[in-house]
Amino acid sequence: MTYFMSLLLFGLVLGLVAVASNPSPYFAALGLVVVSGLGCGVLVGHGASFLSLVLFLIYLGGMLVVFAYSAALAAEPYPESLGSRPVVVLMAAYLLGVGLVASSFWGGWYEVSWLSVEELGEFCALRGDVGGVAMMYSSGGGMLVVSAWVLLLTLFVVLELTRGLGRGTVRAV
């Protein structure tokens, strides 16, 4: 399990570096979807499967809006990909920075920090994310409804911005 979690976290860091160094919004939106999938995999590995599912669905809705907006505003015939020279230089610089920060904190990591929620108690009657689900719906249910309405409103704003030449409000962007 430790190797799988290490692989997920390594992919998460590489995906974040790819998103941060990519100038093209097409590939950045695709990278954000991959990073959100890897982050939800990390949450599943630590015992929060339902929270991971909810976050992944919310992220996919948000990334759909981001991708529609970036595809409408960035009309590049030949966007720069991850293999172009400036992007590779930026990725190397970001990975060097991540490596330097990780090497300064390397002595504080232990194998015990990779345990999931269920492995900490001997006689757990519930899964680790069941209490979090109940708390999210009781205390945070209103925020879930508000965030769903905000995503819907954002989708309508993007559709209005990209509707057409004569009927859209801000088409000159």
Side-chain angles (χ1 to χ4, degrees), residues 1-171:
M1 189 66 181
T2 303
Y3 294 120
F4 184 67
M5 289 297 293
S6 298
L7 182 68
L8 283 175
L9 287 172
F10 186 69
L12 183 75
V13 169
L14 281 181
L16 288 173
V17 165
V19 168
S21 63
N22 203 345
S24 174
Y26 298 115
F27 298 116
L30 176 68
L32 280 175
V33 170
V34 171
V35 165
S36 69
L38 289 170
C40 289
V42 169
L43 284 175
V44 166
H46 284 291
S49 58
F50 184 76
L51 181 64
S52 170
L53 177 68
V54 169
L55 282 176
F56 193 64
L57 290 176
I58 290 172
Y59 285 162
L60 280 183
M63 289 306 114
L64 177 70
V65 171
V66 167
F67 183 72
Y69 186 70
S70 64
L73 290 181
E76 297 180 57
Y78 303 106
E80 288 193 34
S81 66
L82 290 175
S84 65
R85 188 176 191 89
V87 176
V88 170
V89 169
L90 277 174
M91 284 182 72
Y94 288 147
L95 284 176
L96 181 69
V98 167
L100 288 175
V101 170
S103 67
S104 67
F105 291 111
W106 193 256
W109 291 96
Y110 297 104
E111 191 71 28
V112 180
S113 65
W114 293 96
L115 295 177
S116 66
V117 174
E118 287 86 18
E119 295 176 14
L120 294 178
E122 292 186 23
F123 299 108
C124 290
L126 298 174
R127 286 189 42 94
D129 62 342
V130 173
V133 170
M135 184 65 92
M136 185 173 66
Y137 280 125
S138 66
S139 299
M143 187 54 82
L144 283 174
V145 171
V146 167
S147 64
W149 278 106
V150 165
L151 281 175
L152 185 66
L153 178 69
T154 307
L155 178 65
F156 285 137
V157 166
V158 167
L159 289 175
E160 179 65 28
L161 286 175
T162 61
R163 189 162 55 162
L165 186 62
R167 294 154 74 188
T169 55
V170 189
R171 188 59 186 166

